[in-house]
């Protein structure tokens, strides 16, 4: 476990759990964003991640049990391997959809989400988990037709609990704690 930013007391904090990406992948995606995503708000390199669960506002006192759930699920995770397979747009974001080779990331996401639900800090979503990287945000959909960046298949570096602070220029993320994958 690696500590990051600190929070305390009964403060309400905005949290999510995610997989972090290796530097070479972050570099490749950031280069692709600069070259291909013109006229939109590009997600900064340091904000690129694969969300496992978004918890929203939670009391800071719950952080230890939330990270414990992540640590326990991550410790039992099989080897996660992602390959970017397509670019997709929704009403407000652009994303790279990832192939979850072997399905280990989906198993981890399901395990984490079930553990969080048992803690009473998360409610399972009604749709299947989609492994993806959000690469851009916008007010008006640009309708781009793009191939994904040529970063190849990769293994996430670790998993982390993130603090999300809302800001007029967009949310700012800080890693609160990171945990190893697969023990």
């Amino acid at each position: 476990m690696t500590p990051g930013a600190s929070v305390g007391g009964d403060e309400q904090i905005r949290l999510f759990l995610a997989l972090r990406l290796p530097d070479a992948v972050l570099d490749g995606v950031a280069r692709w964003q600069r070259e291909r995503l013109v006229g939109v708000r590009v997600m900064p390199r340091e904000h690129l991640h694969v969300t496992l669960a978004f918890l929203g506002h939670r009391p800071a006192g719950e952080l230890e049990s939330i990270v414990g759930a992540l640590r326990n699920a991550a410790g039992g995770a099989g080897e996660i391997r992602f390959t970017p397979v397509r670019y997709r747009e929704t009403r407000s974001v652009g994303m790279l959809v990832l192939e979850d080779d072997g399905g280990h990331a989906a198993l981890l996401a399901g395990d984490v989400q079930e553990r969080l639900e048992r803690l009473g800090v998360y409610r399972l979503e009604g749709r299947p988990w989609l492994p993806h990287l959000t690469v851009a945000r916008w007010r008006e959909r640009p309708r781009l037709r793009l191939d994904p960046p040529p970063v190849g298949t990769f293994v996430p570096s670790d998993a982390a609990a993130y603090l999300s602070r809302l800001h007029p220029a967009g949310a700012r993320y800080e890693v609160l704690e990171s945990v190893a994958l697969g023990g």
Side-chain angles (χ1 to χ4, degrees):
M1 174 181 68
T2 305
S6 63
V7 294
D10 292 330
E11 175 187 3
Q12 289 283 314
I13 56 177
R14 191 168 183 253
L15 293 173
F16 66 92
L17 305 179
L19 296 169
R20 298 199 303 171
L21 310 178
D23 285 335
V25 173
L26 292 171
D27 292 343
V29 172
R31 186 172 32 260
W32 176 86
Q33 288 174 300
R34 284 190 305 274
E35 294 169 359
R36 304 278 196 262
L37 297 175
V38 180
V40 299
R41 189 176 68 176
V42 171
M43 295 299 293
R45 178 189 186 278
E46 62 273 11
H47 288 187
L48 297 173
H49 62 271
V50 178
T51 302
L52 295 168
F54 180 77
L55 289 90
H57 288 92
R58 305 298 317 164
E62 294 177 351
L63 181 61
E64 186 176 334
S65 62
I66 290 168
V67 171
L70 176 62
R71 184 181 306 107
N72 291 334
E79 183 181 51
I80 296 171
R81 299 174 59 78
F82 288 129
T83 305
V85 291
R86 66 185 170 95
Y87 171 78
R88 175 182 175 205
E89 292 181 359
T90 68
R91 180 181 52 78
S92 59
V93 303
M95 65 178 72
L96 295 174
V97 177
L98 305 173
E99 180 180 331
D100 177 11
D101 303 340
H104 295 289
L107 291 172
L108 172 59
D111 188 10
V112 167
Q113 292 168 8
E114 288 172 7
R115 289 171 189 266
L116 295 172
E117 188 174 52
R118 285 193 301 269
L119 288 173
V121 299
Y122 182 79
R123 193 169 69 199
L124 293 173
E125 294 184 17
R127 59 183 178 198
W129 178 76
L130 176 68
H132 69 278
L133 296 174
T134 298
V135 294
R137 295 189 181 278
W138 47 68
R139 292 191 193 284
E140 186 174 323
R141 187 174 170 186
R143 301 193 186 280
L144 301 171
R145 302 276 186 247
L146 302 173
D147 289 325
V151 297
T153 299
F154 63 91
V155 175
S157 56
D158 59 5
Y162 283 84
L163 172 65
S164 174
R165 296 182 195 268
L166 297 178
H167 187 270
R172 296 182 178 165
Y173 307 149
E174 297 175 58
V175 171
L176 295 173
E177 289 193 39
S178 63
V179 301
L181 295 170

